[in-house]
Amino acid sequence: MMNYDLIVIGSGPAGRRAAIQAAKLGKKVLVVEKGTRVGGVSVHTGTIPSKTLRETALNLTGWRERGFYGRSYRVKQEISAEDLRRRLLITLDHEVEVLEHQFARNRVHHLRGRAEFVDRNTLSIEKNDGEVLRVTATSILLAIGTRPYRPENIPFDGEKIIDSDELLEIQEIPRSMIVIGAGVIGIEYATIYSTLDTVVTVIEPRASMLDFIDKEIVEDFSYQLRDRNMKLLFGETAEKVEREPNGKCKVTLASGRSLHADMVLYAAGRSGATAQLNLEAVGLKPDSRGRIKVNPETFQTDVPNIYAAGDIVGFPSLASTSMEQGRIAARHAVGAPASDPPQFFPYGIYAVPEISTCGLTEEEVKARHIPYECGIARFRETSRGHIMGLDNGMLKMIFSLKTRRLLGVHIVGEGATELIHIGQAVLNLKGTVDYFVENTFNYPTLAEAYKISGLDAWNRMGELHEQIVEAAQ
């Protein structure tokens, strides 16, 4: 029986970062991956495929150039599913090659097979060739990720009524699509296919979408989607989904309304891939969506030597935060000092347009009764925005009136997920509005929007300060 310091189940962002971190500390590490290739959900069905699909769609449609050349502008007139898949396969092969090289370079052992618990230190691994091994470890990290939630009342057929994993395998781009669920995954795919001229309708039972994002940003985002003829049906529940004799799909809403489309994408949540782990053997019980409760500082489960990180522990379910969770968990598991998880991290939504946010929303600031002021910049106000032909896009910053510190930064528009890191740095370093006013930004850049937003807030903060002084006198 082979013994390790750390066994990691899953090779996604959390698993691979944990394994490499422990190996760099001189520990003996094994990664178990049930898929045919390393990389986990992130590489094969999640983060990398969806972002590659997005970039391919934007490039082939000429979406970014339409501000100059009109809505009818195309780089490639006829775009097929094969066009989208070709770039995806190249990207995935590269990602797997890089990851396998990292494991080899750091002497991380890895096995392809399905693992289940025998006891808190022992795993039984059924390899892909049928051989069964038993391995032990001082600590075990669960980084098994999630899979699409598939309720029994949805007649998935892998062709026309599909989940987000199956979307990557479709044979042709549909002329119309109904997306059930306006969460991050649903709205990303809905907007990507909208750029491909698919007529998209989004159904969401809540009264709004992306409730963790600043409301003003969501309103601007929603306006942009509706402006390009996407239908957003909030407060509506899909009661029945079925195939029609003509091959199309029919969705009946609880309100009695019927919708028809070539394809239905069900993207209302994901479930933890815990079913085959035999967690009962170690006394762990996941919640109704298969997620595992952990200590948010160490990522230990209720069993001290068993850790969990990544999507399996729930929000925020980002590749970036999963990597950091895995690293912290690995350091704690092998007895190395570990820093606390970062207070402020960026959240990126790779829709079209992008959304990215860091820090407090305006709604959270109000709920905490913090006196504040906002600064707004529109991308069309920047010279770079003119050069790029941008009609939309905005950057919003929120500052404390008392301390002048930045409390939150929120962006919707081109390059949002790149631009957010300037605000993230200022937040974590406890910077103030004066940083943006007194510093110079490259010109012409979209980052200049920080200067414009800072000045917008600074001008009104100054007026408010004078009023406060006058009132005190």
Side-chain angles (χ1 to χ4, degrees):
M1 187 180 295
M2 294 177 287
N3 183 62
Y4 295 87
D5 296 303
L6 176 67
I7 295 177
V8 179
I9 305 176
S11 60
R16 69 176 181 243
R17 183 61 62 90
I20 292 170
Q21 172 65 96
K24 286 185 180 296
L25 293 169
K27 304 301 179 180
K28 188 178 180 182
V29 182
L30 171 68
V31 174
V32 184
E33 171 57 57
K34 69 177 181 180
T36 55
R37 305 174 81 189
V38 295
V41 170
S42 174
V43 168
H44 298 289
T45 59
T47 304
I48 301 303
S50 61
K51 281 54 179 176
T52 304
L53 178 66
R54 178 186 187 275
E55 197 66 22
T56 308
L58 293 178
N59 286 343
L60 293 181
T61 60
W63 181 266
R64 293 187 175 101
E65 308 302 320
R66 292 184 184 178
F68 282 113
Y69 305 124
R71 293 191 177 188
S72 63
Y73 176 75
R74 298 287 186 281
V75 171
K76 192 175 191 294
Q77 291 300 318
E78 298 293 333
I79 302 171
S80 68
E82 182 57 33
D83 291 326
L84 303 178
R85 193 158 31 245
R86 187 177 301 120
R87 180 166 177 165
L88 175 60
L89 293 175
I90 294 171
T91 304
L92 297 191
D93 285 344
H94 176 72
E95 287 287 319
V96 170
E97 182 183 346
V98 169
L99 181 51
E100 288 180 338
H101 176 63
Q102 288 178 336
F103 281 169
R105 190 176 68 228
N106 289 283
R107 299 184 181 181
V108 173
H109 300 169
H110 64 95
L111 289 175
R112 292 185 178 89
R114 185 177 64 83
E116 65 174 42
F117 281 99
V118 176
D119 58 47
R120 57 188 292 176
N121 295 103
T122 309
L123 293 172
S124 174
I125 302 173
E126 182 181 352
K127 295 172 63 179
N128 292 350
D129 61 7
E131 182 186 359
V132 177
L133 300 176
R134 281 203 174 190
V135 293
T136 63
T138 305
S139 300
I140 296 172
L141 171 66
L142 306 179
I144 49 182
T146 57
R147 59 176 183 270
Y149 176 59
R150 292 170 62 105
E152 293 182 0
N153 67 316
I154 303 296
F156 295 97
D157 60 14
E159 181 185 357
K160 296 292 185 179
I161 303 173
I162 59 176
D163 63 31
S164 56
D165 285 0
E166 294 168 331
L167 182 63
L168 301 170
E169 301 296 330
I170 61 175
Q171 298 303 306
E172 58 181 304
I173 298 172
R175 294 175 64 87
S176 57
M177 175 187 286
I178 295 170
V179 178
I180 300 174
V184 173
I185 294 171
I187 212 67
E188 284 185 352
Y189 280 127
T191 57
I192 290 168
Y193 274 85
S194 174
T195 69
L196 294 164
D197 295 321
T198 298
V199 178
V200 178
T201 300
V202 179
I203 301 169
E204 172 55 55
R206 294 173 298 177
S208 61
M209 62 177 170
L210 306 176
D211 293 335
F212 60 95
I213 300 292
D214 187 274
K215 186 177 180 181
E216 189 172 7
I217 295 296
V218 174
E219 288 174 350
D220 186 280
F221 178 70
S222 299
Y223 173 81
Q224 291 190 50
L225 301 192
R226 288 189 167 113
D227 187 52
R228 68 189 207 226
N229 206 31
M230 280 183 62
K231 292 180 175 62
L232 304 176
L233 304 182
F234 297 127
E236 292 278 13
T237 302
E239 195 168 75
K240 186 177 182 181
V241 180
E242 56 190 319
R243 287 286 295 272
E244 297 184 289
N246 62 5
K248 286 184 174 290
C249 302
K250 178 182 177 182
V251 177
T252 304
L253 304 181
S255 62
R257 182 177 179 181
S258 294
L259 305 174
H260 304 267
D262 292 335
M263 184 174 289
V264 173
L265 169 63
Y266 189 90
R270 296 180 67 85
S271 299
T274 55
Q276 297 178 325
L277 286 175
N278 191 27
L279 292 177
E280 297 84 0
V282 292
L284 289 177
K285 185 176 181 180
D287 68 12
S288 60
R289 282 292 183 99
R291 293 171 297 224
I292 297 175
K293 184 182 72 172
V294 295
N295 179 324
E297 295 180 357
T298 64
F299 300 97
Q300 284 175 291
T301 68
D302 291 337
V303 181
N305 75 305
I306 300 176
Y307 296 73
D311 288 8
I312 194 65
V313 305
F315 187 87
S317 297
L318 298 168
S320 56
T321 52
S322 295
M323 290 181 187
E324 189 61 13
Q325 290 171 2
R327 188 186 70 83
I328 292 170
R331 292 187 66 88
H332 193 273
V334 301
S339 58
D340 293 333
Q343 181 181 3
F344 298 113
F345 57 85
Y347 201 115
I349 299 174
Y350 290 83
V352 183
E354 293 178 16
I355 298 174
S356 200
T357 180
C358 191
L360 301 178
T361 66
E362 188 171 353
E363 292 70 42
E364 289 172 328
V365 172
K366 286 179 180 178
R368 298 184 186 193
H369 304 290
I370 302 172
Y372 72 96
E373 187 54 81
C374 294
I376 299 286
R378 307 282 175 180
F379 285 3
R380 62 175 178 266
E381 297 177 280
T382 68
S383 296
R384 181 64 177 173
H386 297 157
I387 293 168
M388 296 171 68
L390 299 180
D391 294 324
N392 299 296
M394 65 176 284
L395 185 151
K396 172 181 179 178
M397 289 193 289
I398 306 170
F399 298 95
S400 165
L401 283 175
K402 186 174 182 180
T403 65
R404 302 176 69 82
R405 280 177 53 183
L406 178 63
L407 302 175
V409 56
H410 313 281
I411 311 172
V412 57
E414 183 69 26
T417 56
E418 299 286 350
L419 289 169
I420 196 68
H421 297 108
I422 298 172
Q424 177 194 7
V426 176
L427 267 168
N428 281 304
L429 295 172
K430 300 178 172 54
T432 68
V433 64
D434 304 282
Y435 172 85
F436 301 101
V437 173
E438 296 170 0
N439 276 281
T440 302
F441 291 81
N442 271 338
Y443 175 89
T445 60
L446 291 180
E448 190 190 359
Y450 276 104
K451 182 88 165 181
I452 296 168
S453 175
L455 284 166
D456 183 43
W458 185 83
N459 289 334
R460 275 179 276 119
M461 289 171 74
E463 292 173 7
L464 286 170
H465 179 68
E466 291 171 5
Q467 292 170 8
I468 292 169
V469 172
E470 290 173 2
Q473 293 174 344

